[in-house]
Amino acid sequence: MLAKTLIFGHKNPDTDTICSAIAYAHLKTKLGADVEPIRLGEVNGETQYALDYFKVSAPRLVELVAEETDSVILVDHNERQQSATDIDKVTVTEVIDHHRIANFETSQPLYFRAEPVGCTATILNKLYKENGVAIPKEIAGLMLSAIISDSLLFKSPTCTDQDVTAARELAEIAGVDADRYGFDMLKAGADLSAHTIEQLVSLDAKEFQMNGRKVEIAQVNAVDVNDVLSRQAELETALSQTIEAKNLDLFLFVVTDIVNSDSVGIALGSQAQAVEKAYNVKLDDNKAVLKGVVSRKSQIVPVLTDAFNSL
């Protein structure tokens, strides 16, 4: 008997990763597929708030997917270094994503759906409609949560009209006020007081290849960035350890102010000057204010990539 196809998002999962895995697994199951949503890392506070609110259990944690299946579906990512450690030992049969496409190839054709929208759940909303499957209240709530998270409650430059329309539709199905619920969810995720330094550094970290350089970018949301910056010395120790362990050229740690829609970046590594070049700033004590920057996907990754390409 064939093993279930596992559906999962990237390592260090965020709300879109977890909720889209659950939502797509529900749709695939309704269409007759044998699938299971899983996660590759711990659930963060924001995501847990959404799961608790809509009374849905978190997917189980799986570290090595090839020990359980030979086929997987990726949501909310496609870059191999962000995926399961043993992704090269399984067959990727589908990808549903909204990020850049990099470091990805397969030996067989697959269903690959990538759209320039703010959130994977926005694409899933279309897929439910295209397949004539009604979205249950709790799944709609999780999909709404994903869109709110990725769009910072519709304030991120990655947020499109499609995301807003989908969110309003999903909020109606879920029976919540998107703005009120969204602010409470983001606030829950921005409470970093109980996190260790190690958790802060890895909470939402992704690794990228940029012109042959290894770059890791971590991002945390805060109501008051000083709650995080007051721990800068400890953060830098952890960042330096990660740089050494992974042989990184740059680690950019970004603290995003969800109230004022700005960020502060802490940059360490041999290529820290790429941040200065990208944003026309001067690093002072290894940090700089990144005015108006809230989106890793549209305001950090492409801008840094361009800087590395011209170094």
Side-chain angles (χ1 to χ4, degrees), residues 66-199:
E67 292 182 353
E68 301 197 16
T69 188
D70 55 8
S71 66
V72 302
I73 294 172
L74 309 185
V75 295
D76 197 33
H77 77 300
N78 67 81
E79 297 191 48
R80 288 183 175 265
Q81 71 274 13
Q82 297 174 8
S83 199
T85 306
D86 58 346
I87 191 69
D88 56 327
K89 295 180 181 173
V90 293
T91 299
V92 178
T93 60
E94 295 185 40
V95 176
I96 315 294
D97 194 16
H98 68 119
H99 294 94
R100 73 174 192 174
I101 297 159
N103 308 316
F104 183 86
E105 62 179 48
T106 61
S107 56
Q108 299 291 328
L110 76 163
Y111 181 80
F112 197 115
R113 178 108 171 219
E115 297 189 23
V117 291
C119 183
T120 309
T122 300
I123 306 171
L124 295 183
N125 189 49
K126 295 181 189 180
L127 282 166
Y128 269 90
K129 291 178 179 178
E130 289 165 13
N131 285 282
V133 176
I135 305 174
K137 179 177 180 176
E138 71 278 5
I139 298 294
L142 294 184
M143 291 166 69
L144 168 66
S145 301
I147 296 172
I148 288 167
S149 174
D150 270 10
S151 70
L152 270 183
L153 199 51
F154 318 127
K155 286 196 261 179
S156 171
T158 61
C159 185
T160 67
D161 290 344
Q162 293 182 57
D163 297 296
V164 177
T165 300
R168 299 302 178 198
E169 290 174 4
L170 293 163
E172 192 166 333
I173 297 169
V176 296
D177 179 285
D179 298 285
R180 190 177 303 122
Y181 166 77
F183 184 74
D184 289 344
M185 186 193 79
L186 290 176
K187 204 168 159 192
D191 181 6
L192 305 170
S193 55
H195 289 75
T196 65
I197 290 296
E198 289 69 28
Q199 287 172 326

Side-chain angles (χ1 to χ4, degrees), residues 3-305:
K4 284 184 178 181
T5 296
L6 300 180
I7 302 179
F8 53 87
H10 52 76
K11 292 174 183 171
N12 303 318
D14 57 12
T15 302
D16 189 20
T17 272
I18 297 287
C19 294
S20 286
I22 294 170
Y24 198 40
H26 178 268
L27 174 59
K28 294 292 288 183
T29 300
K30 286 290 184 184
L31 296 174
D34 190 13
V35 299
E36 181 193 357
I38 63 159
R39 57 186 169 92
L40 302 181
E42 297 307 313
V43 176
N44 67 37
E46 176 191 280
T47 309
Q48 194 61 56
Y49 180 92
L51 292 169
D52 291 344
Y53 191 97
F54 292 105
K55 299 179 174 57
V56 178
S57 299
R60 66 189 178 92
L61 176 67
V62 175
E63 306 213 339
L64 296 173
V65 295
E67 292 182 353
E68 301 197 16
T69 188
D70 55 8
S71 66
V72 302
I73 294 172
L74 309 185
V75 295
D76 197 33
H77 77 300
N78 67 81
E79 297 191 48
R80 288 183 175 265
Q81 71 274 13
Q82 297 174 8
S83 199
T85 306
D86 58 346
I87 191 69
D88 56 327
K89 295 180 181 173
V90 293
T91 299
V92 178
T93 60
E94 295 185 40
V95 176
I96 315 294
D97 194 16
H98 68 119
H99 294 94
R100 73 174 192 174
I101 297 159
N103 308 316
F104 183 86
E105 62 179 48
T106 61
S107 56
Q108 299 291 328
L110 76 163
Y111 181 80
F112 197 115
R113 178 108 171 219
E115 297 189 23
V117 291
C119 183
T120 309
T122 300
I123 306 171
L124 295 183
N125 189 49
K126 295 181 189 180
L127 282 166
Y128 269 90
K129 291 178 179 178
E130 289 165 13
N131 285 282
V133 176
I135 305 174
K137 179 177 180 176
E138 71 278 5
I139 298 294
L142 294 184
M143 291 166 69
L144 168 66
S145 301
I147 296 172
I148 288 167
S149 174
D150 270 10
S151 70
L152 270 183
L153 199 51
F154 318 127
K155 286 196 261 179
S156 171
T158 61
C159 185
T160 67
D161 290 344
Q162 293 182 57
D163 297 296
V164 177
T165 300
R168 299 302 178 198
E169 290 174 4
L170 293 163
E172 192 166 333
I173 297 169
V176 296
D177 179 285
D179 298 285
R180 190 177 303 122
Y181 166 77
F183 184 74
D184 289 344
M185 186 193 79
L186 290 176
K187 204 168 159 192
D191 181 6
L192 305 170
S193 55
H195 289 75
T196 65
I197 290 296
E198 289 69 28
Q199 287 172 326
L200 284 178
V201 169
S202 63
L203 197 61
D204 186 6
K206 290 184 181 179
E207 191 179 309
F208 301 89
Q209 291 285 336
M210 297 182 180
N211 196 20
R213 308 294 169 86
K214 280 181 78 175
V215 178
E216 187 149 329
I217 304 169
Q219 184 175 25
V220 295
N221 293 336
V223 175
D224 184 350
V225 295
N226 290 319
D227 290 345
V228 180
L229 297 179
S230 63
R231 305 167 77 181
Q232 185 176 345
E234 295 171 88
L235 277 169
E236 290 191 6
T237 299
L239 297 181
S240 297
Q241 289 169 347
T242 305
I243 289 168
E244 190 171 348
K246 294 186 176 182
N247 196 26
L248 300 174
D249 295 292
L250 169 66
F251 197 131
L252 176 60
F253 182 83
V254 180
V255 188
T256 298
D257 182 333
I258 64 170
V259 177
N260 298 309
S261 300
D262 288 321
S263 293
V264 174
I266 299 174
L268 291 181
S270 62
Q271 299 298 314
Q273 75 273 15
V275 175
E276 295 184 322
K277 182 179 177 65
Y279 295 100
N280 195 26
V281 294
K282 196 74 184 160
L283 290 169
D284 182 12
D285 190 25
N286 299 320
K287 68 178 184 283
V289 174
L290 308 178
K291 293 294 291 180
V293 172
V294 296
S295 168
R296 175 170 50 197
K297 186 179 79 166
S298 74
Q299 295 175 300
I300 300 176
V301 174
V303 178
L304 264 185
T305 300

